[in-house]
Amino acid sequence: MPLSELSPLGRASVILPGMAWTQHLRVGDADVFSLTDGQFRLDGGAMYGSVPKVLWERGAPADELNRIRLRINPLLIRLGGRNVLVETGFWDQGGEKFEGMYALDRDETVFRGLSDLGLAPDDIDLVVNTHLHFDHAGRNVTLTGEPTFPNARYVVQRQELHDAQHTHERSRASYIPGYIDPILDAGLFDVMDGEHELLPGLSVLPLPGHNLGQQGVVLRSGGQTLVYVADLLPTLAHAPYPYIMGYDLYPVTTLDTRKTYFPQWFEEGAILATPHDPDVAFARLEEGKRGGFVLRPVGRAEQANTPTS
């Protein structure tokens, strides 16, 4: 479906016909599409850290190996005639054993999502790597080791690029040089130091905690705000402040970052896009009954009250 045929849909989230996951959101002058690169599973205990299983399994039932279902959710932002891809997808060169460990299911791919929108990898102008873990940046390169998006600059924080090249026992399993070094060698990384505006209304924002160099993406247009929150908030169920992943290298920093930005995003009425929720593309923060926040999906209930043109 060509982008020109899509209606401006205000703040409603619409699942596009013929595309099982891809959802469209109009944010001011920007078209935003939640894509997917398939489903995978991770250990539920690791995903919820110190939160007891009796609490987290209510919304995230585990399989026989204690793994919960997750999804890889890249974001395409169309703004000012530019195509910006946030995240590239799950590493595709790990082999059968690697994919079996994570129960990887390519029910859809980021490439199919782009193709259904009339786009090819050559059409991407900017790639934002929120961080360089294999489930977020693994599709940076092709099977032959070439940049997947050859006309794009790849945006990463300097701290994250350094940490990816200087791993330790807690971090090295998350980084694979095969999708990092070719981008370095091609000189395609645009290295950021902190907050930076990429395009008018589109910025990267440091969100440390999961690691020190993680960044989110903030879109502000037409009085509306959308934030791609990276692994600061991997799924909707992680919205309560204590629901912090065991994978986070700096969990107290994660807590501080959440307490800094969640109230701001709540006051703005910002729409949040998470990287791994298996069922929901877009959501807003609401105040929780016991303090803190929960997330409410942006979906059909809002569509009914949102005019289209």
Side-chain angles (χ1 to χ4, degrees), residues 54-281:
V54 68
L55 295 180
W56 60 254
E57 70 177 347
R58 296 172 185 172
D63 66 11
E64 67 280 2
L65 298 178
N66 204 49
R67 300 174 304 182
I68 63 171
R69 185 171 65 93
L70 301 165
R71 187 170 281 281
I72 306 110
N73 302 329
L75 203 69
L76 176 73
I77 300 172
R78 174 87 169 170
L79 177 64
R82 308 288 296 280
N83 295 310
V84 181
L85 183 65
V86 184
E87 315 285 50
T88 60
F90 201 101
W91 192 47
D92 56 0
Q93 300 175 50
E96 184 176 349
K97 182 178 180 181
F98 181 86
E99 293 185 2
M101 181 188 310
Y102 296 103
L104 183 63
D105 177 8
R106 301 277 193 190
D107 57 349
E108 291 189 55
T109 70
V110 65
F111 303 117
R112 179 191 167 189
L114 291 173
S115 177
D116 286 345
L117 294 172
L119 298 174
D122 289 357
D123 296 316
I124 301 301
D125 300 295
L126 280 176
V127 168
V128 179
N129 289 145
T130 65
H131 55 300
L132 293 171
H133 288 177
F134 65 78
D135 55 323
H136 293 256
R139 297 271 212 179
N140 276 7
V141 302
T142 66
L143 292 173
T144 58
E146 302 296 321
T148 304
F149 307 96
N151 296 323
R153 304 294 299 179
Y154 289 66
V155 179
V156 68
Q157 288 287 320
R158 187 178 305 278
Q159 178 71 57
E160 177 63 359
L161 188 56
H162 173 273
D163 291 347
Q165 296 174 288
H166 299 83
T167 60
H168 51 70
E169 289 80 1
R170 278 294 308 275
S171 68
R172 67 172 55 108
S174 299
Y175 297 106
I176 299 169
Y179 60 78
I180 299 171
D181 291 347
I183 306 302
L184 269 172
D185 295 341
L188 293 180
F189 273 126
D190 277 349
V191 181
M192 303 293 141
D193 288 304
E195 190 171 358
H196 185 83
E197 187 173 59
L198 305 177
L199 298 171
L202 186 68
S203 302
V204 292
L205 174 71
L207 297 175
H210 183 56
N211 50 28
L212 291 179
Q214 179 175 250
Q215 61 184 353
V217 178
V218 181
L219 169 65
R220 289 190 171 93
S221 181
Q224 301 177 40
T225 301
L226 179 140
V227 184
Y228 190 89
V229 293
D231 274 339
L232 179 70
L233 186 55
T235 75
L236 269 65
H238 285 83
Y241 282 141
Y243 281 48
I244 293 171
M245 291 189 290
Y247 294 114
D248 284 15
L249 298 181
Y250 306 93
V252 176
T253 302
T254 295
L255 182 61
D256 290 342
T257 303
R258 288 174 166 213
K259 287 186 172 182
T260 296
Y261 290 111
F262 282 16
Q264 293 182 24
W265 296 337
F266 170 72
E267 290 297 328
E268 285 186 81
I271 296 171
L272 306 187
T274 72
H276 294 311
D277 196 278
D279 300 307
V280 177

